[in-house]
Amino acid sequence: RGPLPRAAATLMASTPSASLAYIAEHGLEEKLTALMNLVAADQPADPLRYLAEKLGAKAKKSPAAPVCPPALDEPPPNAPGAEGMVCPCNLFGSLSYGEPIISKKDKTEHPPWYPSQAGVDVGLRVHNTLTDQSDPVPFIPGRGRRVLWYTCGPTVYDACHMGHARAYLTFDILRRIIEDYFRYEVLYQINITDIDDKIILRARRNKLLADFKAEHAADYAAVESAVGASLDAKGQKLDKKMAALAATELPADAPSREREMHETEKAAAALKKRQFDDIAASVATIREVAAGGGGAASSILEAVCSDAGVASTSAAALERELVEQTVALNEELEAARDALDKSDAAKAKRLAELTQQAARLGSLLARLKALAAASESPIEALFRFAGSELGETLDAEKGSTVTDHQIFNAHARFWEKAYLDDMAALGVKDPDVMTRVTEYVPQIIEFVQKIVDKGLAYKGGSGSVYLDIDAFKTQGHHYRKLSPFSGDTSAADMAEGEGELAGEAAEKKNPNDFALWKSSKPGEPAWPSPWGTGRPGWHIECSVVAGDILGANMDIHAGGSDLKFPHHDNELAQSEAYYGHHQWVNYFFHAGHLHIKGLKMSKSLKNFITIRQALQEHSARQIRLMFLMQPWDRPMNFSDQTVGAAKSKEAQFKNFFGTVKALIRSKWLDEEVGWRSREEDRALYDQIADCQSKCHHGFCDNFNTPQVVDALSSLVTYCNNYLSRPPPAAPAVYLVQKAAVYITQILKVVGVAEGADDIGFPVSSAGSEAEVEGPLDALTEFRDAVRSIARKKGPVEEILGACDAVADKVQASAPAAARLSDQVAKVLADFAGAIRAAAAGGHGAVLTACDHVRDDALTAIGVRLEDATREGQSSTWKLDDPETLMKEVAARRAEAEERAKQAKAKAAAKLQQEVDKLTAGSADPFETLKPDLQLEGGALSQADVEAWVGMQPPPKAKGKPTPEWLPAPRGGAGEKGPV
């Protein structure tokens, strides 16, 4: 940094002479120097914003200038490009880049990446796939605090699954951190792929399948014949695929990446084969039911029970047993996969055994479900279980006859709405801009034409247009920036990139060339173009829609890891070919895969759980917490363990917030305030400050949300311990409130706590704590009082007196317009009546009524009531989600029933052991029992003993037990039945 005059002189010296005359004419040299002196004197944190405000204030009376200057004739200093670079509307009309960074990973060199220098650096470091370095790189936008962000949206041909949630929730979390924590100004765009090979195929197959069903609605024989032929064709195709994979032997020096891809392909093929076998077993079951009727159904059910090793012949009981076995086996499978060491033959063998057991259980469940469906309608059952395979066959035969664009459009619009509904249910923020491919076809044609005109693309014999990779490289560009690889693209990758309806590869100049424009065959939507009727290629859409909204350079491009190659690498190539520069994207974010049963969750593998299915079992908050507790850019497993950990964390936060709210509602202001326990209070403050520091460093360190969640959780634990100190220690309430507010703020930043996206001023809610405080306090005090009397076995008159005392509060506790308050008041009134009635039945009936109001009446309206843990303390109420509370109560009751069942079984086993000890050495164990324990007609049976155990466990006895502890037969010695 030199003196300001020297800086101004340098600026002038680098200015073309033609421009110097213009500068002199308008006196700009003096004005620029004045501006630089102004900046140097004030030293603002954001000089560009500062200058923009100063210039804007002085130019208010001037006529409006154009938003952007024309395209740059020369690139900015060190910029990655030249011809065609369009100004992205920053203050001085150009981008500024640092020296290029070239990184290596696993002996593979990435192409140069140019870090931006013009934006604001807040200390954030990110994992950028363009460098793929182990150490994050500084995140600096291209211009000030503005961040231009594009995310690949869904291909809307089917329901979104949890793999999609992994990507879109992850980017929602990152976007919230960048916007709401680091305070960048984000323009967020997402694109909907509404024309694609998958959409075309699914829409056609659905149409043809619906027509087939209408034509053969009552013709079971025709449907069965068509399904059988479809299954035969599919089975042969899968067998051929499996045989080819098994016969493929990679050379000893094959790259690790190639070996990994081969193993993944084999595992995926094996999964598809197991899924097909389940379908075939289901269809065989349907055929048996259709041929044999009710008798066949009974025989099938017995056979499934026998194969499953289950004694029950009830279909519902059998399904429950199979599901329980499957859940237990999946947990063991997850543990085995986590512990797998391929060099350990025993572990590998055990994993294979567990996989086979899982396949067997899956087949049994499929047969059972097919049996239930076939019992209602064999024809509908065939469509349900084999409709996909039948649709493939119909499409191969008649797909070319489906030509109405509206069929494809309606299919896309239906699943687009489903996607938007799923995102809303997950709490994902709406984008600032949403685009559709079908609305950009004219611009796509112009985009492709410009690349052709540059000699970087060519028309094939079929009318498709391909990017010429060799010509592209010759002009100094790099191909495969995200997944560097010098060889030819594999057949699997090419199939993924070109789609199932791709043209002939023989018309390509180079196997790596990819389609920008596809010629349309019969049965595919088509638009006129200079190369004949056709439709956009998959990759071109993102380049065109993102370029239209965000310009020739963007800060962030995001998508799932599976899109890295070929989709994103191809996007970069065609965009940089169009714009004529070398960096279309500054930072690429790729969310880690979501794995289930060891494989990436995928529609093609049919191993997915839809978002709607997941939301039936888990809340949106729990799913978000699950992702927050995992690194955003690494693979993760979707399992009971990961979801369970998120649920535990949610419960910890929820209980803490309820405790703090109860503390604030208490009469703490009647006591001494301030830091009364100075050392403990100061230590709590230090913990809050430490948590704030850890959260900040976590966010700065590549969005390290697991560290942030751990820091918040640790602060909650510390606060809970602080609050649980016995009297006379008293909490510093405002300090505890400070901790709770900070935790809430951070949880709002990442979207866990609601309210961050609310519009306008807050509206008073009938469900707020303030509205229900009166009636809930009255109910809690009343319940504590009668419960305490009942537990101490006090006089019934005291219980009735408490009922009389609460009668007035029932009438006056709630405002008439407060819905939840009215519900609480009604619960209080009903509870008072129930206690008055229960008092006649004794203390046990009163305690039962107290449990009922806690576990049933209050949970139904969203109130959690926690009993006091110490004598003299009051119970605590907290507002919560009614459905969540009812699920918790149901789970507790189920656990209690299971414990009772286990205790009963344990008691039965203990009694049997005692009987065995008493009768050791006897030919008939029950012969040695006393005569008065004999029942009419013979000795005690095993069933008699077990029935007795169900009513009364044996008493504890010291030393060797004797028969005397066994009770006399119920009803006298001559009565037959259990003792």
Side-chain angles (χ1 to χ4, degrees):
R1 301 168 187 258
L4 290 177
R6 187 187 308 165
T10 302
L11 179 65
M12 297 299 293
S14 62
T15 306
S17 57
S19 300
L20 285 173
Y22 175 84
I23 292 173
E25 179 185 352
H26 294 278
L28 293 181
E29 180 179 0
E30 184 177 329
K31 293 178 182 178
L32 286 172
T33 303
L35 280 173
M36 295 173 72
N37 283 323
L38 193 62
V39 172
D42 291 351
Q43 295 188 356
D46 188 343
L48 293 182
R49 180 188 291 272
Y50 175 85
L51 281 173
E53 292 172 353
K54 291 292 182 183
L55 290 171
K58 293 181 180 180
K60 283 182 180 178
K61 297 181 181 180
S62 302
V67 175
C68 284
L72 302 175
D73 295 323
E74 297 180 2
N78 298 321
E83 187 271 326
M85 171 67 86
V86 178
C87 165
C89 305
N90 71 317
L91 182 63
F92 293 109
S94 65
L95 300 172
S96 176
Y97 293 89
E99 293 299 322
I101 294 174
I102 301 175
S103 59
K104 291 184 178 181
K105 186 176 181 181
D106 298 330
K107 300 181 181 179
T108 302
E109 184 174 281
H110 277 257
W113 171 69
Y114 299 83
S116 172
Q117 291 185 321
V120 176
D121 184 355
V122 296
L124 172 62
R125 302 295 181 263
V126 299
H127 176 209
N128 183 7
T129 320
L130 284 165
T131 64
D132 211 20
Q133 293 175 318
S134 56
D135 294 329
V137 298
F139 177 77
I140 303 175
R143 53 208 64 87
R145 280 189 171 270
R146 187 173 59 180
V147 174
L148 304 180
W149 184 332
Y150 176 82
T151 293
C152 285
T155 300
V156 284
Y157 74 99
D158 202 347
C160 286
H161 55 64
M162 284 301 294
H164 296 107
R166 166 62 166 164
Y168 298 124
L169 256 178
T170 292
F171 298 136
D172 182 70
I173 290 167
L174 269 55
R175 176 188 176 190
R176 288 172 182 270
I177 295 171
I178 288 176
E179 280 188 322
D180 299 338
Y181 188 82
F182 291 113
R183 298 297 180 184
Y184 281 115
E185 301 156 4
V186 177
L187 178 61
Y188 189 87
Q189 179 188 4
I190 197 165
N191 182 60
I192 301 294
T193 299
D194 60 346
I195 189 64
D196 178 82
D197 289 17
K198 294 174 182 176
I199 296 173
I200 295 168
L201 289 169
R202 185 63 61 88
R204 281 194 328 212
R205 290 169 183 175
N206 286 354
K207 166 65 175 170
L208 295 170
L209 194 60
D211 292 347
F212 184 86
K213 288 179 70 174
E215 183 179 353
H216 302 285
D219 191 348
Y220 173 80
V223 176
E224 182 189 17
S225 175
V227 165
S230 299
L231 291 180
D232 289 343
K234 184 69 172 285
Q236 292 172 11
K237 182 179 178 181
L238 284 172
D239 289 341
K240 184 178 179 180
K241 176 73 172 178
M242 296 282 288
L245 287 171
T248 302
E249 292 187 9
L250 297 178
D253 59 347
S256 59
R257 177 180 178 275
E258 188 175 346
R259 290 185 175 279
E260 183 180 344
M261 290 179 60
H262 183 64
E263 291 299 320
T264 300
E265 195 173 0
K266 286 170 62 177
L271 175 60
K272 289 182 178 181
K273 183 64 169 64
R274 289 198 301 272
Q275 292 168 342
F276 174 78
D277 291 342
D278 289 348
I279 294 171
S282 299
V283 170
T285 300
I286 296 167
R287 283 171 165 167
E288 289 181 53
V289 173
S298 299
S299 299
I300 293 169
L301 181 60
E302 291 177 5
V304 174
C305 287
S306 176
D307 291 345
V310 179
S312 173
T313 55
S314 162
L318 174 59
E319 183 172 2
R320 283 196 302 272
E321 178 65 27
L322 287 174
V323 169
E324 289 177 5
Q325 290 184 25
T326 301
V327 170
L329 184 61
N330 283 340
E331 290 179 358
E332 193 174 355
L333 259 172
E334 289 295 335
R337 287 194 187 97
D338 291 341
L340 179 61
D341 179 356
K342 293 183 179 180
S343 62
D344 189 329
K347 288 183 179 180
K349 181 180 178 182
R350 179 56 181 160
L351 181 60
E353 292 172 351
L354 291 172
T355 303
Q356 289 179 351
Q357 291 178 34
R360 182 184 65 84
L361 284 175
S363 178
L364 291 174
L365 267 172
R367 289 180 62 192
L368 187 61
K369 292 177 180 178
L371 174 61
S375 299
E376 296 181 6
S377 170
I379 288 183
E380 287 299 323
L382 286 174
F383 283 122
R384 175 183 169 187
F385 286 89
S388 178
E389 286 68 29
L390 178 56
E392 289 182 28
T393 300
L394 293 172
D395 186 68
E397 297 172 353
K398 304 178 180 180
S400 60
T401 64
V402 181
T403 57
D404 185 357
H405 272 220
Q406 182 56 30
I407 293 173
F408 307 113
N409 188 60
H411 185 90
R413 292 290 81 76
F414 176 86
W415 289 115
E416 177 189 284
K417 183 179 185 305
Y419 156 76
L420 293 173
D421 290 344
D422 287 344
M423 294 301 102
L426 289 172
V428 173
K429 292 176 70 171
D430 292 333
D432 299 315
V433 185
M434 187 176 84
T435 48
R436 295 176 180 144
V437 181
T438 52
E439 297 168 3
Y440 270 83
V441 173
Q443 294 95 318
I444 289 173
I445 293 172
E446 292 175 7
F447 196 98
V448 174
Q449 183 63 61
K450 182 174 180 180
I451 299 176
V452 172
D453 292 344
K454 288 186 171 187
L456 298 179
Y458 60 92
K459 176 183 175 182
S462 67
S464 295
V465 179
Y466 299 94
L467 188 77
D468 190 332
I469 295 297
D470 291 333
F472 178 72
K473 289 181 177 180
T474 299
Q475 289 199 5
H477 293 284
H478 297 273
Y479 181 59
R480 295 191 64 161
K481 288 186 171 185
L482 301 168
S483 302
F485 184 62
S486 57
D488 290 337
T489 303
S490 69
D493 281 340
M494 187 57 69
E496 173 68 18
E498 299 292 70
E500 294 183 54
L501 302 175
E504 293 293 329
E507 66 178 349
K508 296 182 180 182
K509 295 180 179 179
N510 184 316
N512 293 332
D513 296 349
F514 59 88
L516 304 175
W517 180 264
K518 295 181 177 181
S519 62
S520 291
K521 298 183 284 293
E524 299 176 13
W527 287 264
S529 80
W531 317 284
T533 57
R535 54 191 175 88
W538 175 29
H539 318 296
I540 197 72
E541 61 187 65
C542 293
S543 295
V544 176
V545 299
D548 179 59
I549 301 298
L550 305 179
N553 173 270
M554 71 182 75
D555 296 297
I556 300 172
H557 190 319
S561 289
D562 54 333
L563 299 179
K564 191 183 301 183
F565 182 83
H567 183 52
H568 288 159
D569 268 322
N570 289 355
E571 277 186 56
L572 288 170
Q574 64 202 12
S575 298
E576 292 169 9
Y578 176 86
Y579 291 112
H581 59 64
H582 301 298
Q583 189 155 299
W584 182 52
V585 175
N586 293 341
Y587 298 88
F588 243 114
F589 291 171
H590 287 101
H593 283 313
L594 185 68
H595 288 182
I596 182 169
K597 297 180 181 178
L599 286 170
K600 181 193 78 170
M601 191 177 289
S602 157
K603 287 176 185 171
S604 63
L605 297 180
K606 298 181 181 179
N607 67 335
F608 61 89
I609 299 168
T610 67
I611 291 173
R612 298 188 183 192
Q613 288 171 334
L615 286 172
Q616 291 175 356
E617 299 294 327
H618 322 295
S619 70
R621 181 189 293 131
Q622 291 162 355
I623 293 172
R624 185 178 288 263
L625 273 169
M626 177 182 68
F627 291 144
L628 283 165
M629 295 168 69
Q630 308 291 329
W632 70 272
D633 52 354
R634 296 289 181 268
M636 64 167 287
N637 286 321
F638 182 71
S639 64
D640 292 338
Q641 288 84 353
T642 51
V643 177
K647 289 183 175 180
S648 297
K649 200 66 68 178
E650 179 197 38
Q652 182 193 31
F653 288 131
K654 189 182 293 184
N655 289 331
F656 172 65
F657 293 142
T659 299
V660 175
K661 288 178 181 179
L663 175 65
I664 295 170
R665 289 195 307 267
S666 69
K667 299 178 180 180
W668 64 277
L669 285 173
D670 295 345
E671 307 294 332
E672 183 183 350
V673 298
W675 286 10
R676 288 169 285 175
S677 306
R678 290 190 177 276
E679 291 185 7
E680 291 89 344
D681 297 336
R682 191 169 298 280
L684 174 57
Y685 172 75
D686 291 341
Q687 287 294 320
I688 296 172
D690 182 62
C691 176
Q692 292 171 332
S693 176
K694 288 179 177 176
C695 288
H696 179 72
H697 285 95
F699 282 144
C700 288
D701 182 19
N702 189 36
F703 312 103
N704 190 344
T705 55
Q707 176 178 316
V708 172
V709 173
D710 286 345
L712 298 178
S713 178
S714 296
L715 181 57
V716 168
T717 300
Y718 192 92
C719 287
N720 286 336
N721 292 333
Y722 171 84
L723 292 172
S724 65
R725 296 171 301 160
V733 177
Y734 282 140
L735 195 58
V736 176
Q737 179 178 274
K738 177 183 179 68
V741 168
Y742 176 74
I743 293 169
T744 303
Q745 288 172 341
I746 295 300
L747 292 179
K748 281 186 177 181
V749 165
V750 295
V752 173
E754 292 79 8
D757 303 322
D758 290 348
I759 298 176
F761 300 118
V763 179
S764 177
S765 167
S768 66
E769 278 86 353
E771 295 278 3
V772 297
E773 183 174 351
L776 275 177
D777 283 347
L779 190 153
T780 302
E781 291 171 9
F782 172 57
R783 180 179 176 275
D784 284 348
V786 297
R787 187 166 176 264
S788 177
I789 296 169
R791 293 179 68 182
K792 295 176 180 178
K793 301 189 184 302
V796 172
E797 291 77 14
E798 290 188 20
I799 295 176
L800 297 176
C803 292
D804 293 336
V806 83
D808 294 338
K809 295 182 180 180
V810 168
Q811 301 299 325
S813 59
R819 184 182 61 80
L820 182 57
S821 295
D822 285 342
Q823 291 177 332
V824 175
K826 184 178 185 306
V827 170
L828 175 55
D830 293 346
F831 178 50
I835 290 295
R836 191 178 292 278
H843 299 106
V846 172
L847 293 174
T848 299
C850 289
D851 290 344
H852 169 74
V853 75
R854 177 194 63 201
D855 295 338
D856 297 295
L858 288 176
T859 58
I861 62 173
V863 178
R864 180 193 299 275
L865 190 60
E866 297 176 349
D867 291 329
T869 57
R870 288 197 186 100
E871 188 66 31
Q873 286 185 338
S874 299
S875 300
T876 302
W877 60 263
K878 304 171 183 177
L879 298 186
D880 208 331
D881 175 53
E883 185 177 352
T884 299
L885 291 175
M886 288 187 284
K887 285 182 179 180
E888 289 179 6
V889 171
R892 285 199 300 269
R893 286 174 173 164
E895 290 175 4
E897 291 175 2
E898 181 63 25
R899 286 196 300 269
K901 181 180 176 181
Q902 293 176 357
K904 181 177 177 180
K906 185 176 180 180
K910 184 175 180 181
L911 177 60
Q912 184 63 56
Q913 290 176 358
E914 298 295 346
V915 171
D916 290 344
K917 289 179 183 178
L918 290 170
T919 60
S922 171
D924 184 348
F926 293 99
E927 291 288 337
T928 60
L929 295 177
K930 284 188 172 182
D932 65 345
L933 294 179
Q934 301 294 313
L935 298 180
E936 185 180 14
L940 285 167
S941 69
Q942 179 69 19
D944 292 328
V945 175
E946 290 177 354
W948 178 84
V949 171
M951 294 181 286
Q952 176 182 351
K956 297 179 180 178
K958 295 182 179 180
K960 184 176 181 180
T962 61
E964 275 68 16
W965 54 261
L966 287 170
R970 180 189 294 177
E975 181 179 343
K976 188 173 183 179
V979 294

